[in-house]
């Protein structure tokens, strides 16, 4: 039951983008087209789950036993940077169109605060290894849900008759705010 609770909370109630406001940069930058939103979601999910797994092991089997927990942030950032480089190399070889579509946003996964945030949150919440991985997967699903919903909304907004002054970023920010308020409706579930 606790794993289900972790999933519902991470996906809907405390959505990493819409409730905790982490990962806003790719949320606003990549969400103009559905295919790039899907690609970014997959890349972030892959890096997030692997980074959470590796940083958990780093924290509890290296940093804590050696008494150097104060190096947590630096160690976690190095792990995330390494994993992003691996994803970048794999995408360049296997999906060059997706690699080009993601453009500058792929290296920005390194500084995507959702990944570092999840890695730190599992330590702060004292999750065990399985709970940490479940939390990372659920958070990645929540990130993808927010990104894909917003990409669909933005594609629809391109087809809508919007006043000239509201086109582009202004209407995107208004739509993001309304989407965040809609997700606030889930706060009473847990």
């Amino acid at each position: 039951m606790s794993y289900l609770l972790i999933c519902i909370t991470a996906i809907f109630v405390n959505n990493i983008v819409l409730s905790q406001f982490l990962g806003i940069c790719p949320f606003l930058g990549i969400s103009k087209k559905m295919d790039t939103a899907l690609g970014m979601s997959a890349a972030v999910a892959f890096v997030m789950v692997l980074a959470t797994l590796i940083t958990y092991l780093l924290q509890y089997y290296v940093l804590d036993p050696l008494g150097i927990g104060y190096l947590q942030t630096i160690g976690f950032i190095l792990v995330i940077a390494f994993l992003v480089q691996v994803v970048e190399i794999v995408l360049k070889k296997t999906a060059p169109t997706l690699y080009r579509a993601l453009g500058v946003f792929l290296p920005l996964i390194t500084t995507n605060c959702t990944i570092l945030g999840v890695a730190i949150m599992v330590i702060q919440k004292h999750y065990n290894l399985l709970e940490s991985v479940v939390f990372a997967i659920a958070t990645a699903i929540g990130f993808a849900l927010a990104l894909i919903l917003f990409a669909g909304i933005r594609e629809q907004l391109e087809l809508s008759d919007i006043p000239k002054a509201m086109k582009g970023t202004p209407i995107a920010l208004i739509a993001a705010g309304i989407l965040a308020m809609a997700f606030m409706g889930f706060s009473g579930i847990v």
Side-chain angles (χ1 to χ4, degrees):
M1 185 58 144
S2 67
Y3 297 116
L4 181 62
L5 189 62
I6 289 171
C7 289
I8 291 171
T9 303
I11 295 170
F12 299 110
V13 179
N14 292 326
N15 185 286
I16 197 86
V17 177
L18 299 172
S19 295
Q20 298 180 16
F21 306 112
L22 294 175
I24 297 295
C25 187
F27 177 70
L28 293 173
I30 257 325
S31 63
K32 291 179 183 173
K33 293 184 181 176
M34 187 66 74
D35 56 340
T36 54
L38 288 167
M40 178 60 104
S41 297
V44 166
F46 177 74
V47 172
M48 187 178 294
V49 172
L50 276 179
T52 301
L53 179 66
I54 294 170
T55 56
Y56 179 91
L57 297 172
L58 176 69
Q59 179 72 36
Y60 287 110
Y61 294 105
V62 177
L63 299 178
D64 286 350
L66 294 175
I68 54 173
Y70 56 88
L71 294 175
Q72 178 190 58
T73 305
I74 293 170
F76 286 12
I77 288 172
L78 290 174
V79 167
I80 293 166
F82 171 76
L83 289 172
V84 169
Q85 289 301 312
V86 169
V87 169
E88 192 170 359
I89 290 167
V90 168
L91 280 180
K92 194 173 187 178
K93 298 280 185 191
T94 60
T97 54
L98 179 60
Y99 175 77
R100 283 190 302 279
L102 291 175
V104 72
F105 291 101
L106 189 57
L108 285 179
I109 293 175
T110 305
T111 58
N112 188 338
C113 51
T114 59
I115 296 169
L116 181 61
V118 169
I120 292 172
M121 276 188 250
V122 299
I123 303 302
Q124 289 175 344
K125 292 177 186 251
H126 303 288
Y127 284 154
N128 63 36
L129 184 59
L130 186 56
E131 289 171 336
S132 298
V133 171
V134 168
F135 180 74
I137 292 169
T139 303
I141 291 169
F143 179 83
L145 177 67
L147 198 62
I148 292 165
L149 282 173
F150 195 55
I153 291 169
R154 287 186 77 175
E155 283 184 353
Q156 187 62 39
L157 287 173
E158 289 296 320
L159 303 173
S160 300
D161 186 28
I162 299 169
K164 187 176 180 181
M166 295 298 292
K167 286 191 179 205
T169 305
I171 195 68
L173 291 173
I174 290 169
I178 292 170
L179 188 58
M181 286 191 320
F183 268 71
M184 285 176 60
F186 293 115
S187 63
I189 292 176
V190 179

